[in-house]
């Protein structure tokens, strides 16, 4: 998954007293843990579990969560945290919570034993809290239903650890070493199939770690505006690529708040948009948001390049490349008009885009099993002449909507269905130029609106 270093974070993120780091070892649920912690009002950042220790320099987390993963700790090349990580955590005074694979990794590293499970546990499972004064569970009660997903199991604990919960089959389900601030859960507390999991996370963060819930969207907005103002010189100009979706609209509005009319928005009609999209969004940009937007019709160019292309990843790369070419041409045109060349390009890249564009731990590349490349992150030419501003790159979609609401972006925009950057090209299997996808998409959208299902 995506790695964050102190250098790439807003100044408040690394310096914050209530930061939670999630070390990713390839679990499909890692980004969900990151979101769950934020839902509790705490800033969490997802970092590659195998990233060098130097990438954590300057961060002072109050808690570190070691994620699950698809590997066995005994497999050759199984991912592990960097050498010196446990000293780093101790130096920061951080509590460490291992989840699933993360718990097994912690146990094995500290001298305990993990073996292929006699009781391999997958799915719904009852666990019983066996230690009445457990720090991890507090007053949560003796029994709860959880979501298990493990083939290996812990059979011997490192010195100083205590078993605080077992599955009904007898497998170790939770452990703790209070003095050293080490904790472990064999199950996934972050999924909805563990109904009391959020309560366990809440108790761990607030009661065990003493973290305060101080992650607020207004603070994020203020910080981003401050960052953009300091990044963009008083005479420099910025281009923002608007797609008409939530992300680029919120990004544009935020940057406009920071630098005013030195922002120049461009809306590219690539021939792959929704039905009458150009007319609808241009009306909103002008009437509701009062953003300075130039509309460029490049549909013929895009569709010519895509003719006969069927592979979705290839379509993404072509579209990403063509977008940048159009922006570059627009920048030249703008240069003639304002007498100087714009320095920056704004993109509505989100945190999941960053995460999904990094390969998985234990894959021999470096980690979550790669889902797709994203035109905001992959496929940018090396000689791109514009520097990037990505004000949303640490946010999830629900957080972007909250930010948009604070910025008074129209509700109709914030509640739009997500639409992929490459548009209908990736909604259509095969050659996108061969049929008429616009009407098909419009019929579908209109049908779910008529059935009052659009917001469900």
């Amino acid at each position: 998954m995506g790695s964050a270093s102190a250098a790439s974070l807003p100044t408040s993120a690394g310096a914050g007293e209530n930061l939670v780091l999630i070390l990713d070892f390839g679990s499909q649920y890692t980004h969900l843990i990151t979101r769950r912690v934020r839902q509790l009002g705490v800033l969490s950042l997802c970092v590659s579990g195998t990233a060098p220790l130097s990438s954590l320099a300057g961060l002072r987390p109050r808690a570190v969560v070691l994620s699950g993963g698809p590997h066995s700790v005994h497999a050759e090349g199984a991912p592990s945290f960097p050498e010196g990580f446990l000293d780093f955590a101790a130096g920061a005074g951080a509590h460490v919570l291992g989840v699933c694979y993360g718990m097994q990794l912690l146990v094995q590293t500290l001298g305990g034993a993990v073996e292929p499970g006699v009781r391999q546990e997958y799915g719904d499972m009852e666990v019983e809290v066996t230690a009445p004064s457990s720090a991890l569970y507090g007053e949560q009660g003796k029994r709860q239903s959880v979501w298990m997903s493990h083939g290996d199991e812990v059979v011997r604990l490192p010195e100083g650890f205590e078993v605080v919960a077992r599955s009904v089959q007898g497998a170790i389900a939770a452990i703790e070493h209070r003095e050293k601030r080490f904790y472990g859960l064999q199950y996934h507390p972050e999924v909805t199939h563990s109904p009391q999991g959020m309560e366990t996370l809440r108790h761990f963060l607030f009661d065990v770690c003493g973290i305060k819930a101080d992650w607020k969207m207004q603070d994020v907005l203020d910080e981003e505006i401050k960052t953009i103002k300091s990044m963009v010189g008083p005479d420099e100009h910025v281009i923002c690529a608007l797609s008409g979706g939530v992300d680029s609209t919120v990004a544009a509005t935020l940057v406009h708040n920071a630098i005013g009319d030195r922002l120049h928005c461009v809306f590219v009609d690539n021939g792959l948009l929704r039905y009458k999209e150009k007319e609808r969004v241009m009306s909103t940009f002008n009437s509701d948001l009062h953003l300075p937007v130039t509309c460029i019709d490049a549909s013929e160019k895009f569709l010519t390049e895509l003719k006969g292309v069927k592979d979705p990843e290839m379509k993404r790369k072509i579209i990403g490349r063509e977008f940048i070419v159009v922006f570059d041409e627009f920048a030249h045109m703008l240069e003639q008009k304002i007498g100087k060349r714009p320095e920056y390009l704004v993109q509505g890249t989100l945190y999941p885009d960053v995460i999904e564009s990094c390969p998985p731990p234990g894959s021999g590349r470096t980690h979550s099993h790669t889902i797709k490349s994203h035109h905001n992150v992959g496929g940018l030419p090396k000689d791109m002449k514009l520097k990037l501003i990505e004000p949303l790159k640490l946010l999830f979609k629900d957080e972007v909507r909250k930010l948009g609401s604070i910025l008074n972006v129209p509700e109709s925009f914030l509640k739009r269905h997500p639409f992929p950057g490459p548009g209908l090209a990736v909604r259509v299997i095969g050659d996108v130029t061969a049929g008429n996808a616009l009407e098909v998409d419009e019929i579908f959208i209109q049908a779910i609106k008529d059935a009052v299902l659009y917001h469900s």
Side-chain angles (χ1 to χ4, degrees):
M1 277 203 172
S3 61
S5 67
S8 66
L9 304 176
T11 49
S12 61
E17 292 177 8
N18 295 297
L19 173 66
V20 176
L21 274 187
I22 316 293
L23 258 57
D24 169 40
F25 293 106
S27 167
Q28 59 181 323
Y29 300 129
T30 304
H31 66 101
L32 189 56
I33 304 180
T34 314
R35 285 185 63 183
R36 292 287 187 243
V37 173
R38 291 186 183 193
Q39 282 166 6
L40 294 169
V42 177
L43 173 60
S44 59
L45 295 169
C46 178
V47 184
S48 167
T50 55
L53 204 58
S54 59
S55 69
L56 306 180
L59 300 178
R60 299 281 297 174
R62 289 291 292 278
V64 180
V65 178
L66 310 175
S67 88
H71 314 276
S72 162
V73 289
H74 300 295
E76 194 181 336
S80 181
F81 39 71
E83 199 176 330
F85 162 72
L86 293 177
D87 292 335
F88 162 81
H95 294 72
V96 178
L97 172 65
V99 172
C100 200
Y101 176 84
M103 172 174 121
Q104 295 171 4
L105 183 60
L106 192 61
V107 165
Q108 179 167 281
T109 306
L110 293 169
V114 177
E115 290 178 3
V118 181
R119 304 163 283 253
Q120 297 191 343
E121 298 174 321
Y122 296 95
D124 220 9
M125 183 69 57
E126 292 273 310
V127 301
E128 196 162 319
V129 179
T130 53
S133 59
S134 157
L136 259 180
Y137 291 104
E139 305 295 315
Q140 280 184 69
K142 277 195 68 86
R143 192 174 268 235
Q144 53 180 276
S145 181
V146 302
W147 189 256
M148 289 283 194
S149 178
H150 66 101
D152 291 349
E153 64 176 288
V154 172
V155 293
R156 189 183 75 248
L157 292 180
E159 194 179 331
F161 275 81
E162 178 189 5
V163 176
V164 294
R166 287 185 182 271
S167 73
V168 287
Q169 296 194 86
I172 294 173
I175 58 174
E176 57 189 51
H177 188 321
R178 292 196 214 187
E179 194 186 323
K180 294 237 172 116
R181 299 186 291 269
F182 292 141
Y183 302 85
L185 295 171
Q186 186 54 75
Y187 58 90
H188 289 277
E190 70 277 16
V191 301
T192 50
H193 301 298
S194 297
Q196 285 169 268
M198 273 300 268
E199 188 47 47
T200 304
L201 281 176
R202 185 195 311 274
H203 177 70
F204 173 71
L205 294 174
F206 300 145
D207 300 330
V208 177
C209 305
I211 289 173
K212 291 186 176 65
D214 63 357
W215 164 252
K216 296 182 180 68
M217 277 303 114
Q218 184 63 55
D219 296 340
V220 173
L221 174 61
D222 296 342
E223 181 68 38
E224 279 302 332
I225 287 176
K226 198 168 88 183
T227 302
I228 292 163
K229 280 180 172 174
S230 66
M231 186 196 297
V232 180
D235 300 320
E236 290 181 322
H237 290 253
V238 177
I239 298 177
C240 181
L242 286 171
S243 70
V246 174
D247 310 336
S248 62
T249 302
V250 172
T253 310
L254 191 156
V255 174
H256 196 239
N257 266 258
I259 62 166
D261 288 341
R262 288 183 292 126
L263 170 72
H264 308 273
C265 297
V266 53
F267 177 73
V268 179
D269 179 0
N270 57 7
L272 304 162
L273 305 172
R274 287 175 276 211
Y275 183 71
K276 288 198 188 282
E277 176 85 340
K278 179 166 66 175
E279 295 80 2
R280 290 169 182 170
V281 300
M282 285 304 291
S283 163
T284 307
F285 292 151
N286 294 328
S287 310
D288 298 322
L289 298 174
H290 311 295
L291 291 171
V293 186
T294 300
C295 181
I296 295 175
D297 185 350
S299 52
E300 203 176 317
K301 188 165 170 38
F302 277 85
L303 295 174
T304 302
E305 291 291 327
L306 288 166
K307 194 160 180 60
V309 179
K310 293 180 179 176
D311 176 56
E313 192 65 10
M314 183 57 71
K315 289 178 189 174
R316 285 178 190 282
K317 297 289 186 193
I318 290 169
I319 290 161
R321 187 181 68 226
E322 290 305 317
F323 259 116
I324 299 298
V325 170
V326 172
F327 295 152
D328 223 22
E329 288 170 358
F330 176 71
H332 279 107
M333 188 176 74
L334 196 59
E335 185 178 7
Q336 306 302 315
K337 184 176 152 190
I338 60 177
K340 66 185 304 179
R341 187 164 171 77
E343 295 279 328
Y344 295 92
L345 168 67
V346 177
Q347 288 188 326
T349 310
L350 302 194
Y351 206 28
D353 300 330
V354 176
I355 289 169
E356 288 174 2
S357 291
C358 293
S363 67
R365 293 169 298 156
T366 332
H367 321 249
S368 94
H369 289 288
T370 302
I371 297 163
K372 62 179 175 67
S373 78
H374 189 279
H375 78 264
N376 283 354
V377 186
L380 299 185
K382 290 185 178 67
D383 62 347
M384 193 179 80
K385 298 181 185 73
L386 298 164
K387 290 175 275 189
L388 286 180
I389 295 177
E390 298 173 305
L392 313 177
K393 74 176 177 204
L394 287 179
L395 301 181
F396 290 99
K397 189 71 131 192
D398 53 333
E399 295 168 329
V400 172
R401 288 194 172 105
K402 282 180 196 159
L403 197 63
S405 192
I406 297 172
L407 285 162
N408 298 316
V409 174
E411 190 83 347
S412 58
F413 250 93
L414 298 177
K415 290 197 165 171
R416 297 188 89 192
H417 281 197
F419 193 64
L424 293 169
V426 291
R427 289 259 169 109
V428 173
I429 296 168
D431 185 349
V432 71
T433 64
N436 207 335
L438 298 182
E439 278 84 343
V440 176
D441 187 71
E442 180 66 7
I443 290 165
F444 162 66
I445 292 293
Q446 198 51 54
I448 59 173
K449 280 181 176 172
D450 291 346
V452 201
L453 293 169
Y454 188 79
H455 297 302
S456 298

